[in-house]
Amino acid sequence: MDIYKELTQGKGYAVIEIEDKKLLKDLKNYFIKKINILNNVKNDMDFARKKIAKMSKSEVNQCMIDLLKDNNLSEMLIKSCPKLVEELCGKELFITRRATIVMNVPGKGQAKQWPHYELMSGISPFSYIVWAPLHDLEENSGVYYIDQKQSLKIMKKEQETGVVNGPMVLNMMSNQKPKKLNFGQAIVFNPFVLHGNIAFSSEFARIACTARFQSSNKPLLQKNSDYLKPYKLN
């Protein structure tokens, strides 16, 4: 698959195999160790996920904020798929200063992630996003993606009516099927692709790591200049 063509002219997203699975495992173990410090859980991902699944929303949010203090996770995720990143952007990059560890709790009462595209948050149109679960995903517990052609069509229709995330977008949530990934797989996508998640049933929370990157040769059309940092692939 020509990944650049797929992300720019095709669906706008693609499932990839992480090249350095040991490094991704190191990232996972780093997360477990950090959660162990924060919440006194055993050194086991499933045990940690069960404990997180029982946390309140405020506890989950506080854990995610605490994890943002670590600024090496972004580099670890980018370094786990160097060939992919270089093919898309070369070696001279801007990457997020801090990767985000996203913890989603199961249950119908939990907040869903509304369909959105990264440009809504002022993300550079030249950036790419990599999203990697830190464990095998259960059925329907992942993230769904709307192909680029349909996403752009929806974006234009909403622009014409002067709304963002109007009925057309929100009604799409009911019939979406999230991608099922195994540990060692990830999804890379461009900032024009609509994506979101739905409520899921499980005794485990869903844990994923996400980071953004772009070529340093492209215009840095970024809302916040402190959001990214320069980075060079070896």
Side-chain angles (χ1 to χ4, degrees):
M1 176 176 61
D2 184 333
I3 189 69
Y4 180 79
K5 187 174 182 180
E6 184 67 10
L7 294 185
T8 57
Q9 302 174 36
K11 292 188 298 184
Y13 67 89
V15 176
I16 63 165
E17 292 288 333
I18 293 292
E19 299 157 35
D20 190 339
K21 291 183 172 62
K22 181 182 180 302
L23 190 55
L24 186 66
K25 187 175 181 180
D26 289 343
L27 196 159
K28 178 184 76 171
N29 290 337
Y30 181 92
F31 166 79
I32 295 172
K33 181 180 178 181
K34 189 69 175 179
I35 288 296
N36 187 41
I37 294 171
L38 296 174
N39 292 292
N40 195 32
V41 301
K42 297 178 182 178
N43 190 29
D44 176 83
M45 177 56 97
D46 283 347
F47 188 92
R49 291 173 63 205
K50 274 189 177 182
K51 186 173 179 67
I52 293 167
K54 297 177 182 177
M55 287 182 182
S56 67
K57 292 178 183 178
S58 61
E59 288 174 325
V60 169
N61 288 337
Q62 186 58 56
C63 280
M64 289 173 61
I65 290 170
D66 289 336
L67 287 165
L68 283 172
K69 297 174 184 176
D70 300 306
N71 58 13
N72 64 329
L73 300 184
S74 185
E75 294 180 13
M76 291 178 73
L77 187 56
I78 296 299
K79 286 168 65 176
S80 73
C81 43
K83 292 179 182 177
L84 166 82
V85 173
E86 184 175 358
E87 185 176 349
L88 291 173
C89 298
K91 288 181 176 289
E92 301 282 349
L93 309 167
F94 288 121
I95 66 173
T96 43
R97 289 184 182 275
R98 297 172 181 83
T100 302
I101 299 286
V102 183
M103 306 192 305
N104 292 96
V105 177
K108 291 185 177 180
Q110 299 300 324
K112 297 179 276 294
Q113 187 181 47
W114 304 113
H116 65 284
Y117 42 90
E118 300 298 299
L119 288 177
M120 288 180 176
S121 302
I123 302 301
S124 169
F126 298 104
S127 64
Y128 297 96
I129 305 90
V130 58
W131 185 91
L134 298 185
H135 51 83
D136 293 345
L137 293 180
E138 287 84 11
E139 197 71 31
N140 293 328
S141 68
V143 176
Y144 61 82
Y145 297 81
I146 310 299
D147 71 78
Q148 181 171 232
K149 184 176 180 180
Q150 187 179 1
S151 291
L152 291 173
K153 187 182 296 184
I154 292 168
M155 195 186 304
K156 289 178 181 178
K157 286 185 178 180
E158 287 208 320
Q159 184 180 25
E160 291 171 0
T161 56
V163 299
V164 177
N165 271 9
M168 182 190 306
V169 172
L170 298 182
N171 290 338
M172 296 171 62
M173 295 180 66
S174 60
N175 59 354
Q176 298 303 321
K177 187 172 179 60
K179 295 288 181 183
K180 189 177 186 301
L181 303 180
N182 294 321
F183 179 74
Q185 293 182 303
I187 289 186
V188 60
F189 57 102
N190 72 38
F192 301 93
V193 170
L194 278 164
H195 58 284
N197 65 13
I198 57 177
F200 62 98
S201 298
S202 175
E203 59 180 326
F204 301 103
R206 187 192 73 204
I207 315 296
C209 184
T210 182
R212 299 174 177 87
F213 60 95
Q214 76 161 72
S215 169
S216 63
N217 294 321
K218 296 292 186 180
L220 188 58
L221 300 177
Q222 184 68 39
K223 181 175 67 175
N224 185 343
S225 60
D226 290 334
Y227 185 74
L228 301 174
K229 65 179 180 181
Y231 181 73
K232 184 176 181 179
L233 284 173
N234 295 327

